Coordinates of all heavy atoms in Angstrom, one line a residue:
P148 N 14.1 1.1 13.2 CA 13.9 2.2 12.3 C 15.0 2.3 11.2 O 16.2 2.2 11.5 CB 13.9 3.4 13.2 CG 13.7 3.0 14.6 CD 14.2 1.6 14.6
Q149 N 14.5 2.3 10.0 CA 15.4 2.5 8.8 C 14.6 3.2 7.8 O 13.3 3.2 7.9 CB 15.9 1.2 8.3 CG 14.9 0.3 7.7 CD 15.4 -1.0 7.1 OE1 16.1 -1.7 7.8 NE2 15.1 -1.3 5.8
P150 N 15.2 3.8 6.8 CA 14.4 4.4 5.7 C 13.5 3.3 5.1 O 13.9 2.2 4.7 CB 15.4 4.9 4.7 CG 16.7 5.0 5.5 CD 16.6 3.9 6.6
L151 N 12.2 3.7 4.9 CA 11.2 2.8 4.3 C 10.8 3.4 2.9 O 10.7 4.6 2.7 CB 10.0 2.8 5.2 CG 10.1 2.2 6.6 CD1 8.8 2.3 7.3 CD2 10.7 0.8 6.6
W152 N 10.6 2.5 2.0 CA 10.2 2.8 0.7 C 8.8 2.2 0.4 O 8.5 1.2 0.9 CB 11.2 2.3 -0.3 CG 12.4 3.1 -0.4 CD1 13.5 3.0 0.4 CD2 12.7 4.2 -1.3 NE1 14.5 4.0 0.1 CE2 14.0 4.7 -1.0 CE3 12.0 4.7 -2.3 CZ2 14.5 5.8 -1.7 CZ3 12.5 5.8 -3.0 CH2 13.8 6.3 -2.7
G153 N 8.1 2.9 -0.5 CA 6.8 2.4 -0.9 C 6.5 2.8 -2.3 O 7.2 3.5 -3.0
R154 N 5.4 2.2 -2.7 CA 4.8 2.5 -4.0 C 3.4 2.9 -3.8 O 2.7 2.4 -2.9 CB 5.0 1.3 -5.0 CG 4.2 0.1 -4.6 CD 4.5 -1.0 -5.5 NE 3.5 -2.1 -5.5 CZ 3.4 -3.0 -6.3 NH1 4.2 -3.1 -7.3 NH2 2.4 -3.9 -6.2
R155 N 2.8 3.7 -4.8 CA 1.5 4.1 -4.7 C 0.9 4.0 -6.1 O 1.5 4.5 -7.0 CB 1.4 5.5 -4.1 CG 0.0 6.1 -4.1 CD 0.0 7.4 -3.4 NE 0.4 8.5 -4.2 CZ 0.4 9.8 -3.9 NH1 0.1 10.1 -2.6 NH2 0.8 10.7 -4.7
S156 N -0.3 3.4 -6.2 CA -1.0 3.2 -7.4 C -2.4 3.8 -7.4 O -3.1 3.6 -6.4 CB -1.0 1.8 -7.8 OG 0.3 1.2 -7.9
R157 N -2.8 4.4 -8.4 CA -4.2 4.8 -8.6 C -4.8 3.7 -9.5 O -4.3 3.4 -10.6 CB -4.3 6.2 -9.3 CG -5.8 6.7 -9.3 CD -5.9 8.0 -10.0 NE -7.1 8.7 -9.8 CZ -8.2 8.5 -10.6 NH1 -8.2 7.7 -11.6 NH2 -9.3 9.2 -10.4
F158 N -5.8 3.1 -9.0 CA -6.5 2.0 -9.8 C -7.9 2.4 -10.1 O -8.5 3.3 -9.5 CB -6.6 0.8 -8.9 CG -5.4 0.0 -8.7 CD1 -4.6 0.2 -7.7 CD2 -5.1 -1.0 -9.6 CE1 -3.4 -0.6 -7.5 CE2 -3.9 -1.8 -9.5 CZ -3.1 -1.6 -8.4
L159 N -8.5 1.8 -11.1 CA -9.9 1.8 -11.4 C -10.4 0.4 -11.1 O -9.8 -0.6 -11.6 CB -10.2 2.2 -12.8 CG -10.0 3.6 -13.2 CD1 -10.3 3.8 -14.7 CD2 -10.8 4.6 -12.3
L160 N -11.4 0.2 -10.3 CA -12.0 -1.0 -10.1 C -13.4 -0.9 -10.5 O -14.2 -0.2 -9.9 CB -11.9 -1.4 -8.6 CG -12.5 -2.7 -8.2 CD1 -11.8 -3.9 -8.9 CD2 -12.5 -2.9 -6.7
A161 N -13.8 -1.6 -11.6 CA -15.1 -1.5 -12.2 C -15.4 0.0 -12.5 O -16.5 0.5 -12.1 CB -16.2 -2.1 -11.3
S162 N -14.4 0.7 -13.0 CA -14.5 2.1 -13.4 C -14.5 3.1 -12.2 O -14.7 4.2 -12.3 CB -15.7 2.4 -14.3 OG -15.6 1.6 -15.5
A163 N -14.4 2.5 -11.0 CA -14.4 3.4 -9.8 C -12.9 3.6 -9.3 O -12.2 2.6 -9.1 CB -15.2 2.7 -8.7
P164 N -12.5 4.8 -9.0 CA -11.1 5.1 -8.7 C -10.9 4.8 -7.2 O -11.7 4.9 -6.3 CB -11.0 6.6 -8.9 CG -12.4 7.1 -8.7 CD -13.3 6.1 -9.2
L165 N -9.6 4.3 -6.9 CA -9.1 4.2 -5.6 C -7.6 4.3 -5.6 O -7.0 4.1 -6.6 CB -9.6 2.8 -5.0 CG -9.2 1.6 -5.7 CD1 -8.4 0.7 -4.7 CD2 -10.5 0.8 -6.1
L166 N -7.0 4.6 -4.4 CA -5.6 4.8 -4.3 C -5.1 3.7 -3.3 O -5.6 3.6 -2.2 CB -5.4 6.2 -3.8 CG -3.9 6.7 -3.8 CD1 -3.4 6.8 -5.2 CD2 -3.9 8.1 -3.1
V167 N -4.0 3.1 -3.7 CA -3.4 2.0 -2.9 C -1.9 2.4 -2.7 O -1.2 2.5 -3.7 CB -3.5 0.6 -3.5 CG1 -2.8 -0.4 -2.6 CG2 -5.0 0.3 -3.7
S168 N -1.5 2.5 -1.4 CA -0.1 2.7 -1.1 C 0.4 1.5 -0.4 O -0.3 0.9 0.5 CB 0.1 3.9 -0.1 OG -0.4 5.1 -0.8
E169 N 1.6 1.0 -0.8 CA 2.2 -0.2 -0.2 C 3.6 0.2 0.3 O 4.4 0.5 -0.5 CB 2.2 -1.3 -1.2 CG 0.8 -1.7 -1.6 CD 0.8 -2.4 -3.0 OE1 1.5 -2.0 -3.9 OE2 0.0 -3.3 -3.1
I170 N 3.8 0.1 1.6 CA 5.1 0.5 2.2 C 5.8 -0.7 2.7 O 5.3 -1.5 3.5 CB 4.9 1.5 3.4 CG1 3.9 2.6 3.1 CG2 6.2 2.0 3.9 CD1 4.2 3.4 1.8
F171 N 7.0 -0.9 2.1 CA 7.8 -2.1 2.5 C 8.5 -1.9 3.8 O 9.2 -1.0 4.0 CB 8.8 -2.4 1.4 CG 8.2 -2.8 0.1 CD1 7.9 -1.8 -0.9 CD2 7.8 -4.1 -0.2 CE1 7.3 -2.1 -2.1 CE2 7.2 -4.4 -1.4 CZ 6.9 -3.4 -2.3
L172 N 8.2 -2.8 4.8 CA 8.7 -2.8 6.1 C 10.1 -3.5 6.2 O 10.4 -4.3 5.3 CB 7.7 -3.4 7.1 CG 6.4 -2.7 7.1 CD1 5.4 -3.4 8.0 CD2 6.5 -1.2 7.5
P173 N 10.9 -3.2 7.2 CA 12.3 -3.7 7.2 C 12.5 -5.2 7.0 O 13.4 -5.7 6.5 CB 12.9 -3.2 8.5 CG 12.1 -2.0 8.8 CD 10.7 -2.3 8.3
S174 N 11.5 -6.0 7.5 CA 11.6 -7.4 7.4 C 11.3 -8.0 6.1 O 11.5 -9.2 5.8 CB 10.7 -8.1 8.5 OG 9.4 -7.6 8.3
C175 N 10.8 -7.2 5.2 CA 10.4 -7.6 3.8 C 11.6 -8.0 3.0 O 12.7 -7.4 3.0 CB 9.7 -6.5 3.1 SG 9.0 -7.0 1.5
I176 N 11.4 -9.1 2.2 CA 12.5 -9.6 1.3 C 13.0 -8.6 0.3 O 14.1 -8.6 -0.2 CB 12.0 -10.9 0.6 CG1 13.1 -11.6 0.0 CG2 10.9 -10.5 -0.4 CD1 12.7 -13.0 -0.6
A177 N 12.2 -7.5 0.1 CA 12.6 -6.5 -0.9 C 13.9 -5.8 -0.5 O 14.6 -5.3 -1.3 CB 11.4 -5.5 -1.0
Y178 N 14.1 -5.8 0.8 CA 15.4 -5.1 1.3 C 16.5 -6.0 1.5 O 17.7 -5.6 1.7 CB 15.1 -4.4 2.7 CG 14.1 -3.3 2.7 CD1 12.9 -3.4 3.2 CD2 14.5 -2.1 2.1 CE1 12.0 -2.4 3.2 CE2 13.6 -1.0 2.1 CZ 12.3 -1.2 2.7 OH 11.4 -0.1 2.7
Q179 N 16.3 -7.3 1.4 CA 17.4 -8.3 1.7 C 18.6 -8.1 0.7 O 18.4 -8.1 -0.5 CB 16.9 -9.7 1.7 CG 16.0 -10.0 2.9 CD 15.5 -11.4 2.9 OE1 15.9 -12.2 2.1 NE2 14.7 -11.7 3.9
G180 N 19.8 -8.0 1.3 CA 21.0 -7.8 0.5 C 21.2 -6.5 -0.1 O 22.1 -6.3 -0.9
E181 N 20.3 -5.5 0.2 CA 20.4 -4.2 -0.4 C 21.0 -3.2 0.6 O 20.7 -3.2 1.8 CB 19.1 -3.7 -0.9 CG 18.4 -4.6 -1.9 CD 19.1 -4.5 -3.3 OE1 20.1 -3.9 -3.5 OE2 18.6 -5.2 -4.2

Side-chain angles (χ1 to χ4, degrees):
Q149 71 177 52
L151 299 178
W152 282 86
R154 67 185 198 167
R155 177 171 81 176
S156 302
R157 186 181 194 274
F158 283 94
L159 289 181
L160 180 62
S162 300
L165 59 120
L166 189 64
V167 178
S168 301
E169 298 157 322
I170 313 307
F171 295 91
L172 301 175
S174 56
C175 185
I176 193 171
Y178 293 110
Q179 289 182 3
E181 299 289 5

